[in-house]
Amino acid sequence: MKTSKLLTTLAIVSVVLIAGCKKDVETSIDPMGTSTVPLNYKSGLLPVTLGLTDGFAILSYAGITNTGPTTITGDVGASPITGASMTGFETVTIDGTIYTVDAAGPPGYVTNPTMLTQAMLDLTTAYNDAAGRTNPIGVAGNLGGQTLPPGLYKSTSSLEISSGDLTLDAQGDANAVWIFQIASSFNMTSGRQVFLIGGAQASNIFWQVGSAATFGTTAVMKGTIMAYANITFATGASLEGRALARTESVTLDANAIVKPTVVYFLSPAPALAVVNLGVAGDFAILSKTGITDVFPSAITGDVGSSPITGAAILVSCAEVTGTIYTVDAAGPLPCRVTNASMLTTAVSDMEAAYTDAAGRSNPDFLNLGSGNIGGLTLTPGLYKWTSTVIIPTDVTISGGPDDVWIFQVAGTLTMSSAVNITLTGGAQAKNIFWQVSGAVTFGTTSHFEGIILGMTGINLQTGGSINGRMLAQTAVTLQMNTVTQPQ
């Protein structure tokens, strides 16, 4: 077997980002291992999530047999069958890794039964996802000679590409998706080709085959083939895609198999505007029903509460580098300043800012991580969760100094103890807005970045810190904390 490795960066990168867009979009992986796809598919048909199967050019249940000089770009594996089931690889040139479940297989193999088991489970999940999509366009017999726009297509029996070539036209949408549901076998006769036009990409084409798939001599195929049974490539056939056999084997004969690269093209969009805080933006801490504190805390910035009496502000003057504003002649002495009119305006502006943030539409990310964002890197944009959000492990917010993040949280926001949010790439806390409908809780010694617009209370537990603002429509609770308003 001949092996030629690509540069490390090419082996790692699976998403190519196109320059000239509003912002970079990364594929974010949630803690369950599923990919969260950016919401930019015009057709509304999302690609099939492949999980660990995504890295494979060829994956089979019952082995891989090769004859002649075959080239493969991408990983290769078989499970649960022994690695000895992969034969004829002495004439295979591969840019990728050969994975086996045991200490057998072609030269250079890597044993990883756990990963292979999960990859086969992910293949089953992907196959069932593709098969379960609803409201398809019916097709039958032969696709040869046709030009098909993006969409979900279904054949209730076998399907062929035999009387001519098939063209898939993205119609200018480079993110267009095709899913073909084939109840029985799929056959592409010798010399036939699939052509991609209008920006169509092989990475967004999925063939779910209920039986075997066969590709004739010198046939040129595009897309990910998920076959229930065998996949057979005759002499000289080629595939830009993946050959994934659920229950049987893959047969090769002097072929070229290339795993596709996923490319997201984003249409330019208006920059996300900051949330206007008005007078509330002058405060490090602003609440409507008081501020409790366990001494000592260190607050850099102004503090205020309204309409409740200043007696409900329990921080001391020694803890505040700034001014403590009250609505009446009560509160910390000697530093308090009474300014009921200004506080009324500040609270009104705080409520307006909350409404603005909550009302932003067309989120870039919806329910990212199913509400668990621990371990993620968050790029600029509008994020929306329809329930609670938890931060059990460190999070990175990455972007430029003028980029904006708005996080809409319909439930509570909870950050675990000793967890940190880190800003990279020049990102600034003053441009990060967390609009939270429920209670906000930060664990002991945690560190948070950004402006919190809370409908209810904000609780910063012992030793926690925040670079941002705490703007609560009920109370703020401090326990020996550090609060620094952003510059």
Side-chain angles (χ1 to χ4, degrees), residues 13-29:
V13 174
S14 62
V15 178
V16 179
L17 300 175
I18 303 302
C21 301
K22 180 189 85 173
K23 56 178 181 269
D24 291 345
V25 173
E26 298 176 359
T27 299
S28 303
I29 308 300

Side-chain angles (χ1 to χ4, degrees), residues 205-221:
I205 303 167
F206 303 89
W207 304 82
Q208 174 264 317
V209 183
S211 182
T214 304
F215 303 93
T217 57
T218 68
V220 178
M221 181 60 180

Side-chain angles (χ1 to χ4, degrees), residues 57-424:
I58 303 175
L59 179 65
S60 88
Y61 181 90
I64 303 166
T65 301
N66 176 69
T67 303
T70 290
T71 60
I72 303 171
T73 302
D75 295 341
V76 174
S79 174
I81 198 168
T82 173
S85 66
M86 289 186 273
T87 62
F89 273 65
E90 60 275 3
T91 57
V92 172
T93 299
I94 180 169
D95 285 332
T97 302
I98 300 173
Y99 289 102
T100 68
V101 297
D102 54 14
Y109 70 83
V110 174
T111 303
N112 195 333
T114 301
M115 184 273 288
L116 282 168
T117 298
Q118 187 59 53
M120 290 301 297
L121 290 173
D122 289 348
L123 172 55
T124 298
T125 300
Y127 180 96
N128 291 336
D129 174 16
R133 300 291 180 98
T134 57
N135 300 317
I137 301 166
V139 292
N142 190 351
L143 296 179
Q146 298 188 43
T147 297
L148 298 180
L152 175 64
Y153 297 87
K154 181 170 184 173
S155 170
T156 57
S157 59
S158 298
L159 197 63
E160 294 184 354
I161 303 175
S162 59
S163 61
D165 297 327
L166 171 65
T167 300
L168 302 181
D169 184 1
Q171 302 174 338
D173 180 7
N175 297 311
V177 174
W178 289 258
I179 299 176
F180 295 90
Q181 301 168 328
I182 306 170
S184 186
S185 62
F186 178 49
N187 180 47
M188 187 175 187
T189 57
S190 298
R192 294 306 176 194
Q193 300 188 50
V194 173
F195 290 103
L196 306 184
I197 65 173
Q201 300 187 73
S203 58
N204 287 333
I205 303 167
F206 303 89
W207 304 82
Q208 174 264 317
V209 183
S211 182
T214 304
F215 303 93
T217 57
T218 68
V220 178
M221 181 60 180
K222 307 286 186 179
T224 295
I225 303 150
M226 299 178 289
Y228 187 81
N230 292 310
I231 302 175
T232 302
F233 294 91
T235 306
S238 64
L239 169 68
E240 183 186 0
R242 302 174 182 84
L244 311 174
R246 276 193 62 194
T247 65
E248 297 188 28
S249 62
V250 175
T251 300
L252 305 172
D253 185 355
N255 308 119
I257 312 294
V258 179
K259 183 179 77 71
T261 299
V262 180
V263 184
Y264 292 134
F265 291 84
L266 296 187
S267 301
L272 188 63
V274 298
V275 176
N276 184 2
L277 300 177
V279 177
D282 295 334
F283 287 84
I285 302 176
L286 179 65
S287 81
K288 293 174 70 172
T289 63
I291 304 165
T292 63
D293 175 53
V294 175
F295 185 87
S297 291
I299 304 165
T300 302
D302 293 345
V303 174
S305 194
S306 172
I308 199 168
T309 173
I313 300 177
L314 301 183
V315 296
S316 67
C317 296
E319 296 174 280
V320 179
T321 302
T323 301
I324 299 176
Y325 289 98
T326 66
V327 297
D328 54 16
L333 290 173
C335 62
R336 73 159 189 259
V337 172
T338 302
N339 193 332
S341 176
M342 184 273 289
L343 282 169
T344 297
T345 300
V347 168
S348 177
D349 289 348
M350 172 178 70
E351 294 171 339
Y354 178 95
T355 300
D356 174 14
R360 301 292 180 97
S361 58
N362 301 317
D364 299 293
F365 300 91
L366 179 62
N367 292 323
L368 180 65
S370 299
N372 182 338
I373 61 173
L376 298 184
T377 296
L378 305 177
T379 55
L382 177 62
Y383 295 70
K384 181 181 180 71
W385 291 273
T386 55
S387 59
T388 61
V389 170
I390 60 172
I391 310 177
T393 57
D394 292 349
V395 167
T396 300
I397 296 179
S398 179
D402 297 320
D403 288 326
V404 175
W405 293 255
I406 298 177
F407 302 101
Q408 300 169 328
V409 183
T412 59
L413 173 63
T414 304
M415 187 174 187
S416 298
S417 297
V419 169
N420 298 298
I421 292 180
T422 302
L423 306 185
T424 64

Side-chain angles (χ1 to χ4, degrees), residues 456-467:
T456 60
I458 303 173
N459 180 11
L460 190 53
Q461 296 180 347
T462 305
S465 61
I466 175 173
N467 178 34

Side-chain angles (χ1 to χ4, degrees), residues 427-439:
Q428 299 192 74
K430 69 179 183 179
N431 293 332
I432 302 168
F433 303 88
W434 301 80
Q435 172 264 318
V436 186
S437 298

